[in-house]
Amino acid sequence: QEAPLTQIPFTSYQGLEWDPRFSPDGRQLAFSWSGKEGNNFDIYVSLIGGGRPLRLTTHPAMESSPAWSPDGRRIAFLRELPQNKAAVLLVSALGGPERQLIEIEVKRFPGLSFLGIGPYLTWSRDGEWLVIPYRDSPGKPHGLFKLSIETGEKYPLTSPPANSVGDTAPAFSPDGRTLAFVRLTADIVGDLYSISLSEDLTPNGEAKQLTFSETWVNCPVWTPDGHEIIFSATSDKSQVQCLWRISAFETGARPQLIPSGEDGWRPTISPAGDRLAYAKISFEQNIWCAKLSGPGLPTGDPKKLISSSQDEWSPRYSPDASKIAFCSNRYGYVGIYVSDSDGSNVMELTRLGGKPTDIRGWSPDGKRILFHSALEGQFDIFYVSANGGAPKRLTKDPATDISLNYSRDGNWIYFTSNRSGEFQVWKMPAEGGDAVPVTQTGGMHPCESPDGEFLYYTKGSALFGHLWKVPVKGGEETQVLEPLICWNFYAIIDKGVYFLYQQETGFDLSVKFFDFSTEETKTVIKLKPSFFNYFDISADGDRILYVQGDDLQSDLMLVENFR
C-alpha cells in the first residue's frame, strides 16, 4: 500500500492563497493571494526555500490562474472583469509592465470569484501559444482554443457537445502532444478528457473520456513522465475535494485516491516530479436563520441554526415552516436530513454517497422532499419521503435535469433540462412521466408564484441571470428584475422577490428584496461567501434561512519526495 503523503505548509498568510504553479526549473511557486485583508487577489511568486513573496500585480481587480512560460521568463494570468469575463494578460516573472492578450468568459462562484473549474490557462511547449476556454458565438458551449501570443489568432482544439457547458482547465502533456481538460455537463460537474494533437497542435481525432464520475473534477496536471494525470475531485463518499491519479492512456483505468490528499485543490507538480503543491481550504458551511419584520426587513441578530464540523447546505422550509430539510456530509457522506424549525431533532432521511446533490423543495402537502442529484451517474430528479427511506428517481433522460419545483397545486414538477440542446424550463406530472417544454428562448430555476398565476424563471448564464415570468396558462414572457441574480437563487412571495446578489467584481454578497409595488430594491442581509450561498424564506415570510462559510481559510501545502 502506498504510504501517506507528508505535507507541510508552504504558506500560512492571512487571507486566501490559491492556484499554485511550479516554475519550469522547479525552484519557485507562482500563486494568487487575496492579501492580508482578504479582499484583493493578486499574483505572487515565492522561492521554494522561503523568503518574502514577490508581488507581481497591484490592480484592484481579482487575479488568478498564473501559468509560467516554458522559459520561465513570463507569467500569463487572468484579471477579473465585469459581466463574468476576464482579461488574459502577460507579465514578467520579475514584475513590471503588463500586456493584455484577449478577454474570455470564466466560471465564477458566489463571493469567491475565480474559485471555479480551472486553472484556465496553459502554455504550449514552444511558448508560442496559450490554450484558453473560448467560444466564438453566444449560443455555443466553450471550447478550448489555442491563442497566438504574438498575433492573437485563435484556432479551436476541442468541440464540446451542444448540450454541454463546455471545456476548461487545459493541461499539456510533457511532450506537448496530448491535451488533458475538463468537460462540464453542469456548472461545476463534469469529467476528465484528453485529446491527441499533432506537432502543430492540430487535433487528431475525437476527445477521449478518462473519468466517468460526473462529479466536481478540476485542475488536471501531468506527471513528468507523461504516464499519469493528477487532478482534484470530490470523493465517492462526500463532496470534499481530494487528490487523485489516473493512467493517462490505459483503457478503462480507474482513478486512485492519493493517500492524505483530502481537502486538496489545484495540484501542481514540479518538473522533476519530486514535489507536489496544492491549495488546502478549510471552512465550516453552516445554516443560519434571521427573523423578518416585514417583506425585506430583517430584525434582531442572525443566529447559527444548524452546524457540525462538516458542511450543511441547501436548507428548505416545509410548507408549514415547522420543519427544515437540508443536505450535509457530517458523517463522511452526503445525506438528506430533516430537523425542527429551530434546528433541533435532526433526523437522517437517506444516504446518497458523495454525488453532488441539492434539495429544491417540499411537495405542497409536506410529504415529499424534491432534489436533483448525480446519484446514478447523470443529474436527474428524485424525491424522498419526509419520513425517510430510499429515494425515487423521476427522470431518466440522458440529458442534465436540474433545478426544479412543484407547482402550487402539487400536480406538476417544473425543472431545468438541456434535453432539447440548450437549457429550458420543462414540466412533467408529479409522479413522473412524459415531460413537455415550457420555455422556448432559454430558462432555468423555475418557481410558481404563491397564487399559481405566474411561472418565474431566470435567463442568462447559470451563474448570473435575470428574472422573468410568464402566465402559467400561457402568454407573453416579461422581464421582472434586471440586477444580476447570483447563482440564480431567489424566493417569490406575494409582495416581491428575494434574490442572491453579487457585484460584478469583488466579494460583496447579499440577499436583496425587490418590492413589486414600489419597484425598490433593498439589502436584507450580507453574507460570508460559501460553496454555495443557498437561502430560503418561510411561507409566512417571517424567517430567512441561509448558508454561509464561517472561518474560511486557504493555504498552500508542499509535499516533498512525491512519486
Side-chain angles (χ1 to χ4, degrees):
Q1 184 176 357
E2 188 176 353
L5 302 177
T6 301
Q7 60 269 76
I8 59 173
F10 179 75
T11 63
S12 56
Y13 310 140
Q14 291 178 316
L16 306 175
E17 300 96 72
W18 193 249
D19 276 351
R21 275 294 173 265
F22 276 106
S23 59
D25 62 8
R27 298 173 58 189
Q28 301 178 83
L29 271 181
F31 58 95
S32 180
W33 177 28
S34 65
K36 294 181 179 179
E37 302 301 321
N39 58 5
N40 183 23
F41 279 99
D42 284 299
I43 304 300
Y44 292 78
V45 171
S46 186
L47 290 171
I48 297 298
R52 295 182 60 184
L54 173 65
R55 183 176 181 178
L56 301 187
T57 64
T58 59
H59 197 280
M62 299 180 191
E63 291 147 347
S64 69
S65 201
W68 294 82
S69 62
D71 61 10
R73 298 174 61 185
R74 295 177 291 179
I75 293 176
F77 65 96
L78 296 184
R79 173 171 293 149
E80 184 184 43
L81 299 174
Q83 299 180 342
N84 215 26
K85 294 183 179 180
V88 179
L89 298 105
L90 297 180
V91 67
S92 166
L94 299 176
E98 302 166 354
R99 176 185 162 210
Q100 180 170 324
L101 300 179
I102 195 174
E103 290 185 9
I104 64 173
E105 296 179 65
V106 293
K107 292 293 173 186
R108 185 177 187 240
F109 284 153
L112 295 182
S113 189
F114 287 112
L115 308 196
I117 305 294
Y120 296 92
L121 311 174
T122 191
W123 291 74
S124 62
R125 288 189 66 198
D126 57 14
E128 295 181 4
W129 304 89
L130 275 175
V131 176
I132 60 172
Y134 188 80
R135 60 179 178 180
D136 46 19
S137 68
K140 297 172 61 176
H142 293 80
L144 293 176
F145 282 65
K146 64 177 184 180
L147 171 71
S148 171
I149 298 297
E150 295 303 320
T151 68
E153 294 176 289
K154 302 178 294 295
Y155 301 94
L157 299 179
T158 67
S159 301
N163 64 351
S164 70
V165 174
D167 299 338
T168 186
F172 274 112
S173 60
D175 64 4
R177 299 296 294 272
T178 306
L179 187 71
F181 61 94
V182 174
R183 176 160 289 171
L184 300 173
T185 55
D187 277 291
I188 60 167
V189 176
D191 272 300
L192 192 63
Y193 284 70
S194 68
I195 190 167
S196 174
L197 303 172
S198 63
E199 188 173 352
D200 64 354
L201 303 186
T202 300
N204 291 323
E206 298 296 320
K208 173 186 175 182
Q209 188 170 352
L210 301 180
T211 66
F212 296 85
S213 59
E214 280 241 347
T215 58
W216 187 350
V217 174
N218 67 95
C219 196
V221 291
W222 293 77
T223 55
D225 60 11
H227 293 164
E228 291 186 311
I229 298 172
I230 308 295
F231 62 98
S232 56
T234 48
S235 72
D236 292 334
K237 294 182 179 180
S238 73
Q239 294 194 131
V240 174
Q241 285 276 305
C242 302
L243 298 181
W244 303 77
R245 64 198 317 158
I246 189 171
S247 172
F249 301 106
E250 178 185 343
T251 302
R254 295 179 61 86
Q256 302 296 316
L257 185 65
I258 296 177
S260 302
E262 293 84 0
D263 293 329
W265 300 67
R266 294 293 209 270
T268 180
I269 302 174
S270 63
D274 57 341
R275 287 178 171 141
L276 171 74
Y278 60 91
K280 185 171 184 177
I281 291 181
S282 63
F283 68 94
E284 293 182 22
Q285 186 169 269
N286 300 312
I287 297 171
W288 289 66
C289 180
K291 290 185 177 181
L292 301 169
S293 62
L297 300 176
T299 62
D301 294 327
K303 67 175 182 177
K304 189 186 298 184
L305 198 68
I306 301 173
S307 64
S308 69
S309 60
Q310 299 300 315
D311 294 331
E312 335 292 325
W313 69 95
S314 204
R316 298 289 175 179
Y317 276 117
S318 61
D320 63 2
S322 66
K323 299 287 185 180
I324 298 170
F326 64 97
C327 292
S328 177
N329 61 356
R330 57 179 56 196
Y331 297 121
Y333 52 81
V334 175
I336 292 179
Y337 298 79
V338 68
S339 75
D340 291 342
S341 60
D342 62 359
S344 64
N345 298 320
V346 174
M347 178 179 73
E348 180 183 283
L349 297 185
T350 191
R351 299 182 181 187
L352 302 174
K355 300 302 183 181
T357 298
D358 283 324
I359 297 172
R360 287 294 163 169
W362 297 64
S363 59
D365 61 9
K367 293 181 178 181
R368 294 176 177 178
I369 296 166
L370 200 60
F371 63 97
H372 66 229
S373 177
L375 181 61
E376 298 182 22
Q378 65 190 37
F379 265 105
D380 277 301
I381 297 169
F382 299 79
Y383 74 81
V384 63
S385 168
N387 295 319
K392 180 178 179 180
R393 184 176 176 181
L394 293 176
T395 60
K396 295 183 179 181
D397 192 279
T400 296
D401 296 331
I402 53 174
S403 299
L404 48 140
N405 259 308
Y406 279 100
S407 61
R408 297 295 176 176
D409 60 13
N411 293 329
W412 298 92
I413 292 174
Y414 296 101
F415 64 99
T416 304
S417 179
N418 61 356
R419 57 182 66 189
S420 64
E422 60 181 352
F423 282 111
Q424 304 284 357
V425 175
W426 292 66
K427 72 174 183 178
M428 66 180 176
E431 296 299 325
D434 293 338
V436 295
V438 177
T439 62
Q440 304 294 330
T441 59
M444 299 186 71
H445 306 280
C447 181
E448 265 193 15
S449 59
D451 60 10
E453 293 293 319
F454 289 94
L455 180 70
Y456 288 82
Y457 52 93
T458 61
K459 287 187 181 185
S461 73
L463 189 57
F464 290 100
H466 294 75
L467 187 65
W468 291 70
K469 70 176 182 179
V470 67
V472 168
K473 295 180 180 180
E476 184 179 351
E477 61 177 1
T478 56
Q479 184 170 308
V480 178
L481 196 60
E482 289 190 359
L484 294 172
I485 300 176
C486 185
W487 206 248
N488 288 313
F489 280 117
Y490 67 95
I492 300 288
I493 65 172
D494 56 353
K495 295 184 181 298
V497 54
Y498 292 86
F499 61 99
L500 194 62
Y501 177 79
Q502 184 178 20
Q503 294 179 346
E504 293 189 79
T505 60
F507 281 88
D508 291 340
L509 185 69
S510 60
V511 175
K512 290 181 177 288
F513 179 76
F514 175 74
D515 190 302
F516 288 151
S517 61
T518 65
E519 297 188 348
E520 293 180 348
T521 300
K522 63 184 74 173
T523 298
V524 178
I525 196 164
K526 293 184 178 180
L527 306 181
K528 296 178 182 178
S530 179
F531 297 106
F532 299 98
N533 292 90
Y534 307 82
F535 77 92
D536 193 29
I537 306 294
S538 60
D540 58 11
D542 185 53
R543 285 163 288 172
I544 178 173
L545 285 176
Y546 60 94
V547 174
Q548 69 177 18
D550 298 320
D551 302 318
L552 176 64
Q553 298 179 29
S554 173
D555 290 308
L556 302 183
M557 307 299 291
L558 187 65
V559 178
E560 300 278 6
N561 302 315
F562 175 72
R563 292 296 177 190

